[in-house]
Amino acid sequence: MGGLGEVVLRLIAAMLVGCALGINRDLRDKPAGLRTHALVSLGAALITVVSVQLSYSAGHMDGSSVLRTVQGVITGIGFLGAGVILRDGTTHNVSGLTTAASIWIAACLGVACGAGQWRTATISVVLTLAVLILGGPLEQAIHDRVHPHDTGRRRRATDSS
């Protein structure tokens, strides 16, 4: 891994990726927004960078120790994501699944930035934003086409993501 400049680049890139996802969630008035996503992505990048740095021994890297760190990040972030998933006791509607998924992918993107996997991170953030921005309207259009007389129920479920 490069010097301090490379570390700073990886951490800033992770934070900016998280900010981009968080802005999308903020614009939809979701409970986890810009700060949460930026911190999740930055934290995942930080632990990945530190893991890579600590894994060097005698001039070569122990990839298995880095992968164990990544595994811990991805598993652990599930607890944070679970905190934004809510179920209405009366209607049994579930909300927050999309936000929980975006928190999970923010961690994954943070790991990619922390590992310096620039092409993978760039492609993934573009695809993630495409799903977050276009997914809801596309899902609604498909539902309206397939079930033209049942649009009210589907809109409520889509609005709560």
Side-chain angles (χ1 to χ4, degrees):
M1 183 146 100
L4 180 61
E6 178 71 17
V7 169
V8 170
L9 175 65
R10 291 178 185 200
L11 296 177
I12 290 173
M15 182 191 67
L16 292 175
V17 164
C19 285
L21 299 183
I23 288 170
N24 172 272
R25 299 285 79 201
D26 268 343
L27 291 174
R28 287 169 172 69
D29 294 321
K30 301 305 174 186
L34 184 139
R35 292 180 300 166
T36 302
H37 285 79
L39 289 172
V40 164
S41 189
L42 176 59
L46 172 63
I47 197 66
T48 302
V49 166
V50 169
S51 179
V52 167
Q53 291 171 335
L54 293 175
S55 71
Y56 275 100
S57 174
H60 76 284
M61 184 177 74
D62 176 15
S64 63
S65 65
V66 176
L67 290 176
R68 284 192 298 275
T69 299
V70 170
Q71 180 184 17
V73 168
I74 300 307
T75 300
I77 203 65
F79 290 102
L80 186 59
V84 298
I85 299 173
L86 302 172
R87 181 173 174 231
D88 184 300
T90 308
T91 62
H92 302 293
N93 284 340
V94 176
S95 64
L97 290 173
T98 302
T99 299
S102 69
I103 289 171
W104 185 79
I105 195 94
C108 295
L109 288 164
V111 167
C113 290
Q117 299 295 311
W118 302 117
R119 281 188 277 183
T120 303
T122 302
I123 293 165
S124 297
V125 76
V126 167
L127 291 172
T128 300
L129 288 171
V131 168
L132 289 173
I133 293 166
L134 303 173
L138 178 62
E139 187 177 32
Q140 185 62 52
I142 291 168
H143 186 271
D144 289 348
R145 176 95 174 177
V146 173
H147 301 288
H149 303 295
D150 187 26
T151 58
R153 186 186 72 74
R154 182 67 202 146
R155 274 205 186 92
R156 282 193 305 276
T158 300
D159 290 344
S160 65
S161 296

